[in-house]
Amino acid sequence: MAIERTFSIIKPDATKRNLTGKIVAKFEDAGLRIVASKRIRMSKEQAEGFYAVHSERPFFGELVEFMMSEPVVVQVLEGENAIAKNREVMGATNPAEAAEGTIRKEFALSIGENSVHGSDAPETAAEEIKFFFADEEIVG
Ligand code: DAT
Ligand code: MG
């Protein structure tokens, strides 16, 4: 399996509760390396653009407001099979369905306030990394 890069967001519910370090530790313990990281406050344009694929969903407005409500930490994670590995460490979207030991099982508050985002495929990973990072901000 090749070395991949994936995109991650530590979401407002997690930064607000001071869980950034505990979540980063989960990534590192799974063998994912943090090759880019910055704490930002998302603009409305960024939140709407990033989640444009969900713009027709009933929860879209709520999702955009949530992503703007507190700072987030955007990161690029690198490692063997990083996209799937990150999704595994994150757990299911709905924390009630997330496996033991996953980030969402341990930390998520609800299906909306679910602590982390992670890319779901190589194409979305590449797009999402570009959405937030310039090439020179990623140091492998
Ligand atoms: P994931 O974040 O696991 O990739 P997704 O892409 O289906 O999940 O949805 C993106 C985000 O939208 C998700 O992390 C939280 C929010 N969301 C999804 N389904 C929801 C729902 N039924 N109610 C409220 N928010 C929801
Ligand atoms: Mg998704």
Side-chain angles (χ1 to χ4, degrees):
M1 187 60 71
I3 298 290
E4 285 178 339
R5 284 179 176 172
T6 191
F7 177 74
S8 164
I9 305 176
I10 301 176
K11 292 185 179 182
D13 66 283
T15 62
K16 188 176 185 178
R17 288 177 291 148
N18 215 19
L19 295 171
T20 299
K22 287 198 169 100
I23 290 174
V24 166
K26 292 269 197 196
F27 297 145
E28 292 186 336
D29 287 349
L32 295 165
R33 302 183 71 82
I34 314 297
V35 295
S37 183
K38 58 189 175 189
R39 181 174 164 101
I40 62 167
R41 192 176 271 275
M42 257 196 216
S43 68
K44 191 169 179 84
E45 291 66 33
Q46 282 176 315
E48 286 177 345
F50 184 75
Y51 277 121
V53 66
H54 296 302
S55 62
E56 302 305 318
R57 309 282 287 275
F59 55 80
F60 182 66
E62 195 182 309
L63 175 60
V64 168
E65 287 305 314
F66 168 61
M67 294 304 289
M68 296 167 57
S69 66
E70 294 281 336
V72 299
V73 179
V74 292
Q75 299 189 300
V76 180
L77 312 181
E78 184 180 87
E80 289 256 326
N81 208 10
I83 296 165
K85 189 174 283 178
N86 181 40
R87 294 292 309 196
E88 201 179 304
V89 173
M90 288 166 60
T93 307
N94 183 349
E97 292 163 12
E100 273 320 310
T102 62
I103 292 169
R104 282 166 165 171
K105 175 72 178 184
E106 282 190 27
F107 303 125
L109 300 173
S110 65
I111 191 166
E113 298 191 79
N114 62 4
S115 305
V116 280
H117 165 86
S119 309
D120 57 13
E123 302 73 36
T124 48
E127 280 170 26
E128 291 173 1
I129 289 169
K130 253 188 184 314
F131 194 92
F132 284 104
F133 290 99
D135 286 348
E136 62 269 23
E137 292 179 294
I138 305 167
V139 183

